[in-house]
Amino acid sequence: ISSSGRDLSKDFMRLPSSRFNPSYYMKIKNPMSLSRIKRNIQLSRYLELADVQADLELTFANAQLMNPPTSRMYKDANRLREIMFRALRELEEASQENGGGGSSGSLKMTIRRPCGDSPSATVVSLTGVGAVDASASSSGAAVGDGSSPGTGAASGGGSAGCPVTTPPPSFRREQLTLAQRLTRLYDDIANEKDACGVAMSSLLMRLPSVEMCPEYYTAVSSPIDLHLIHSKLVSGKYKSLIEAGHDLEVLFSNTKSFYGEDSYLYNIATHLESVLYRHVP
């Protein structure tokens, strides 16, 4: 729910009608909605927490592929993504407090309504004990997909104003160590190239000079760059992939907010952000 009381999840609950919006299915290769995720949870189709996250990321990325960065849908996708990451961090902290070390099979997945009784306010809540529990409220929104004309998860109307890439459908992750996952994540970000073959990350490796750009440090409360993130990675400071993902999110958010939507750096940060969401399990 937004500060004005608007339900942020409503437009992501159902997929658009293929009859009234066929262009959506021509552009989106892996459609996903919150209703479909809810249904998958009820049927115990997710074997790992990473698979739930992957389908949530897919829903948000599809929305941003179909809608320009200035649209409400695009911004709502960012807000919901932030909520998802916050819930994952809380889950991880709770798991550590309870002794940690548990596999994703020990997670309990439920459907939670954060505010009011609105069926469209349903979001996935993940808490850290017990077996999988899909006992959602029977009064929730219909779990089927294919909604009313022109509405639904990322139906949009315009084209994306930045190179957001749709992530792949959910799948079982490789059994990699944390160090391997962190290295792969960083390498994916650092090695992403533009159409000219230049690494996009090169412009985000170092923070602006305090002497040359003091206003950056006035506007940005938590400055960070890829060099610092890499240093934390190799020194073992990150205890989870989510921690590294959070620092990368801060970097991209800082870049976009300071340089603005019309800048080249904004587009770079947006594209690298899509790489992050495509690869963080």
Side-chain angles (χ1 to χ4, degrees):
I1 305 296
S2 69
S3 57
S4 62
R6 183 172 60 84
D7 179 5
L8 298 177
S9 68
K10 181 177 181 180
D11 291 334
F12 298 83
M13 290 302 298
R14 295 172 180 268
L15 291 167
S17 166
S18 58
R19 177 183 177 185
F20 293 97
N21 198 346
S23 61
Y24 178 90
Y25 296 92
M26 295 175 64
K27 191 167 187 178
I28 300 300
K29 303 305 180 185
N30 297 304
M32 184 56 63
S33 68
L34 294 183
S35 289
R36 182 173 290 184
I37 293 171
K38 174 183 175 181
R39 181 65 170 171
N40 288 343
I41 291 174
Q42 291 174 325
L43 296 176
S44 301
R45 288 176 175 169
Y46 293 118
L47 300 179
E48 295 183 357
L49 175 59
D51 295 332
V52 182
Q53 181 179 351
D55 276 355
L56 287 169
E57 292 287 7
L58 181 61
T59 302
F60 306 145
N62 286 348
Q64 293 184 318
L65 185 64
M66 292 297 296
N67 296 272
T70 54
S71 67
R72 189 179 74 178
M73 175 77 80
Y74 190 101
K75 295 175 181 177
D76 285 351
N78 278 337
R79 289 280 306 280
L80 292 173
R81 186 181 285 116
E82 291 171 2
I83 292 170
M84 179 195 69
F85 268 100
R86 186 164 63 246
L88 289 171
R89 284 194 291 271
E90 291 173 356
L91 172 61
E92 183 175 8
E93 291 169 0
S95 177
Q96 292 173 350
E97 290 175 0
N98 291 330
S103 65
S104 56
S106 65
L107 299 175
K108 179 181 178 181
M109 297 186 290
T110 63
I111 301 297
R112 175 169 59 89
R113 298 182 186 279
C115 299
D117 297 322
S118 169
S120 60
T122 303
V123 296
V124 175
S125 175
L126 302 155
T127 53
V129 288
V132 172
D133 179 2
S135 56
S137 168
S138 60
S139 63
V143 295
D145 290 304
S147 65
S148 57
T151 64
S155 59
S159 60
C162 54
V164 176
T165 304
T166 303
S170 64
F171 57 90
R172 291 298 301 272
R173 265 56 178 180
E174 298 176 61
Q175 297 302 310
L176 302 176
T177 66
L178 175 59
Q180 288 172 323
R181 289 177 182 271
L182 288 168
T183 300
R184 176 174 291 187
L185 169 61
Y186 181 84
D187 287 347
D188 286 339
I189 298 292
N191 296 327
E192 187 75 4
K193 293 178 172 59
D194 62 19
C196 300
V198 178
M200 297 182 182
S201 61
S202 60
L203 296 175
L204 302 179
M205 280 293 176
R206 294 283 188 174
L207 287 165
S209 165
V210 177
E211 293 76 17
M212 300 294 292
C213 192
E215 61 272 20
Y216 182 89
Y217 297 89
T218 302
V220 173
S221 58
S222 301
I224 193 169
D225 58 23
L226 282 175
H227 182 265
L228 177 58
I229 291 172
H230 185 258
S231 297
K232 293 176 68 174
L233 189 156
V234 297
S235 62
K237 295 289 181 62
Y238 292 122
K239 302 305 180 185
S240 71
L241 208 61
I242 293 174
E243 288 184 14
H246 174 69
D247 275 358
L248 286 165
E249 276 196 313
V250 171
L251 168 60
F252 301 143
S253 177
N254 289 347
T255 302
K256 293 193 293 184
S257 63
F258 181 76
Y259 293 101
E261 294 179 358
D262 296 328
S263 68
Y264 179 60
L265 278 170
Y266 183 99
N267 288 333
I268 284 179
T270 300
H271 183 80
L272 292 180
E273 197 171 43
S274 73
V275 175
L276 166 64
Y277 297 143
R278 196 167 68 234
H279 292 284
V280 172

